[in-house]
Amino acid sequence: MESPESITLKLLDLNARHLSGTQSNNAQLLSELQTVAATRQQLLAALAESNPGEILQVALPANVRETFPASVQAFLEQQVDAEGVLEVAVEDRKQESRLHFSLQSGGERLTLNFATNPPVHLLTGSHVRVHGVRVGNELALSSGTSTTSLQVVAATTLPSTLGTFNTLVIMVNFQDQPTAQPFTSAAVQDVVFNQTSSWDLENSFQKTSLTGNVAGWFTIAVNSTSCDTSTIKTDAQAAAQSAGYSLANYSRFIYLMSSNSGCSAWWGWATIGGSDVWINGMYQFATHVVAHEMGHNFGLYHAHTVDCGTSVVCSSGTFSEYGDWIDVMGAPSYTQAGHFNSFQKERLGWLNSGNEPPIMAVTSSGTYQIGPYEEQNSTLKALKILQSSTSSSYYYVEYRQPVGFDSFLSGYSDIVGGIVVHLASPSNSNSSDLLDMTPSSPSSFNDPALVVGQSYTDSTAGVTITPISASSTGASVRVTFGSSTVVAPPTNLTGVVH
């Protein structure tokens, strides 16, 4: 296969010969131009998701594009400006995930592909203006943080996360597998409106729950080898509406597919800050799957880890998208549905907002008592300690116990007998990292807690964190600042456990 550079040079050479008009076989040249342009268009379209930067490198300037015959221009990319409503979606795979951005503009849907820095600070529903190179319905853009390629006209706020959410689960199978019905309505009802709703209630301190209906099975006019989520959504909703369900009565939708080999790369797909979830029934359909995907609807990204070797915090390390196995927004292949961490709950207003239990921002040395994280009461649930004023990152300190949906933690003595620490920045919704407080342990993140009797010191931030006791009523944590002001650490961060 030719490279984008070589086929672009070939196209330009053919056009130059065609423009000279001295060739006796100009009609043949025009035909060859059209063929090469069509081949190049297919090549660039295939690169749109994997390498949009390469499209930007070989894109023809507008004044060069205009020199081609009209019949050839139809195959050529264009520099375009577009404005509309943004959709941000995440594709959940077993070991990795992919973000997808699209723009509803002027009655059409454009897929946005960012060469660098996708705009993870934005949610579905934001009104944006973009500039990029268009190939078919794909748009290549330089950066999600550059105003040259993306301007925010009106950023949407985090959707409501409190209350009862009326949800419609639409079960669909496909025209090539019309009899496939791997789940009963009763089983789906139990997973979503009993188990997952109970999970939401416990996590939100009884402020958020799910109610609704299970519709289907419906056979839609799509093959099981097709992974067009937009068409699956449209056909599923149309089938449910024809069966008598009023879509206006629901604020959330789950499209449960019987088994879709076309979507075999992923087990779940959800809009971030939106209202839609797609679940591939060829994998699991369970509480942790639904809670994870609907967490994306609430506006959450994943819960990560960064392996820093013998350090706790570093500027670069081995990144794991789903590394935080304690949090349901991490570890998708695990069966447990652990609580959202305190950074995530703070974002949702499930902690430190209104009548929700508090998080304390610690700014002075002292000993602080935090209650068991999962207990349904108003005790202090976490500490928040500034780690870097440059990145606005904080240490979030929790006392996790094997209670309720966190009962699976009973086998982890370090967590039960110590404190769990995350690092995150409220200004970056995709920044949640579980820290390994035993970096010299060969178990890595399997024993991440800081246990009683150990201390963690971030010398550059000027702070030491020490759990001094842990009991059924809570944990006592001493926080010591080396100076009255927390200083911003340099680029290369290190922490010491002692």
Side-chain angles (χ1 to χ4, degrees):
M1 178 182 295
E2 290 185 88
S3 69
E5 293 82 0
S6 63
I7 198 170
T8 299
L9 290 173
K10 182 177 180 179
L11 185 75
L12 291 170
D13 177 65
L14 284 170
N15 190 50
R17 290 161 57 192
H18 182 266
L19 285 172
S20 70
T22 59
Q23 300 281 341
S24 59
N25 57 343
N26 227 28
Q28 182 180 339
L29 273 175
L30 177 60
S31 176
E32 190 174 353
L33 255 177
Q34 292 168 339
T35 300
V36 172
T39 300
R40 180 176 174 274
Q41 182 188 51
Q42 292 175 353
L43 176 60
L44 296 186
L47 285 171
E49 182 178 357
S50 62
N51 196 349
E54 195 157 8
I55 294 176
L56 297 174
Q57 288 179 356
V58 301
L60 300 176
N63 62 332
V64 174
R65 185 180 185 275
E66 291 171 358
T67 66
F68 284 82
S71 61
V72 177
Q73 287 186 32
F75 296 105
L76 300 180
E77 67 280 2
Q78 300 179 66
Q79 300 277 345
V80 298
D81 294 285
E83 184 173 330
V85 178
L86 181 71
E87 180 184 278
V88 185
V90 60
E91 171 191 337
D92 282 314
R93 301 184 173 198
K94 285 189 176 182
Q95 302 299 329
E96 63 176 356
S97 72
R98 292 186 178 183
L99 288 172
H100 298 270
F101 301 87
S102 61
L103 186 73
Q104 198 68 35
S105 175
E108 61 180 350
R109 182 186 179 92
L110 299 175
T111 300
L112 309 182
N113 304 282
F114 295 90
T116 60
N117 301 322
V120 296
H121 59 294
L122 296 176
L123 297 172
T124 294
S126 296
H127 188 179
V128 299
R129 186 179 299 117
V130 297
H131 173 80
V133 175
R134 180 172 179 173
V135 181
N137 285 328
E138 304 280 345
L139 198 62
L141 304 99
S142 62
S143 170
T145 56
S146 168
T147 55
T148 303
S149 55
L150 185 144
Q151 295 178 353
V152 180
V153 178
T156 191
T157 57
L158 199 70
S160 174
T161 62
L162 300 176
T164 300
F165 292 90
N166 210 20
T167 302
L168 181 62
V169 184
I170 309 176
M171 302 187 295
V172 297
N173 53 31
F174 302 95
Q175 60 187 4
D176 57 328
Q177 296 178 352
T179 61
Q181 298 185 7
F183 313 105
T184 66
S185 293
V188 173
Q189 184 88 21
D190 179 60
V191 167
V192 178
F193 300 114
N194 178 21
Q195 298 177 40
T196 307
S197 183
S198 296
W199 188 92
D200 283 328
L201 280 166
E202 183 177 298
N203 265 254
S204 65
F205 301 95
Q206 310 303 308
K207 297 295 178 62
T208 297
S209 61
L210 304 176
T211 188
N213 301 98
V214 178
W217 292 91
F218 302 121
T219 300
I220 59 176
V222 177
N223 285 329
S224 63
T225 55
S226 169
C227 196
D228 184 343
T229 55
S230 181
T231 300
I232 291 169
K233 169 186 173 176
T234 300
D235 287 7
Q237 288 194 350
Q241 203 161 17
S242 295
Y245 294 90
S246 175
L247 302 183
N249 293 337
Y250 304 93
S251 60
R252 301 291 173 94
F253 297 90
I254 299 175
Y255 313 105
L256 176 56
M257 300 179 290
S258 55
S259 180
N260 189 312
S261 60
C263 300
S264 63
W266 53 264
W267 50 270
W269 183 299
T271 51
I272 299 180
S275 59
D276 297 305
V277 165
W278 293 256
I279 295 177
N280 192 347
M282 70 187 298
Y283 300 113
Q284 285 183 310
F285 182 72
T287 304
H288 69 285
V289 172
V290 181
H292 180 107
E293 296 304 332
M294 297 197 84
H296 288 312
N297 280 177
F298 284 133
L300 299 182
Y301 284 80
H302 289 137
H304 327 113
T305 57
V306 180
D307 190 339
C308 296
T310 58
S311 297
V312 174
V313 181
C314 56
S315 58
S316 62
T318 303
F319 178 81
S320 175
E321 181 73 26
Y322 300 110
D324 186 355
W325 58 274
I326 302 173
D327 186 328
V328 78
M329 296 311 293
S333 60
Y334 291 13
T335 58
Q336 69 262 12
H339 276 236
F340 292 149
N341 67 62
S342 53
F343 165 71
Q344 307 278 40
K345 288 191 183 185
E346 182 182 45
R347 281 186 52 74
L348 299 183
W350 290 2
L351 280 178
N352 216 33
S353 175
N355 294 324
E356 297 297 313
I359 295 174
M360 177 180 283
V362 177
T363 57
S364 60
S365 298
T367 300
Y368 302 88
Q369 184 80 12
I370 53 177
Y373 188 67
E374 304 81 2
E375 286 191 355
Q376 303 293 291
N377 55 35
S378 59
T379 60
L380 181 65
K381 296 301 181 184
L383 305 178
K384 181 179 176 181
I385 307 163
L386 183 65
Q387 187 260 351
S388 168
S389 58
T390 303
S391 62
S392 300
S393 57
Y394 288 82
Y395 292 114
Y396 285 79
V397 180
E398 306 158 7
Y399 182 51
R400 302 287 283 259
Q401 292 294 287
V403 175
F405 282 93
D406 269 358
S407 60
F408 68 94
L409 296 175
S410 61
Y412 298 90
S413 58
D414 68 305
I415 294 176
V416 175
I419 55 174
V420 170
V421 184
H422 290 83
L423 183 64
S425 171
S427 63
N428 182 352
S429 55
N430 195 26
S431 65
S432 176
D433 293 333
L434 171 67
L435 298 183
D436 181 9
M437 287 295 175
T438 59
S440 60
S441 167
S443 299
S444 187
F445 287 92
N446 288 332
D447 52 358
L450 185 66
V451 299
V452 172
Q454 296 289 311
S455 292
Y456 166 72
T457 298
D458 184 334
S459 58
T460 51
V463 64
T464 297
I465 304 170
T466 308
I468 59 177
S469 69
S471 69
S472 60
T473 59
S476 292
V477 182
R478 181 183 296 124
V479 180
T480 306
F481 291 113
S483 61
S484 59
T485 304
V486 179
V487 296
T491 304
N492 186 26
L493 304 173
T494 60
V496 179
V497 178
H498 49 89

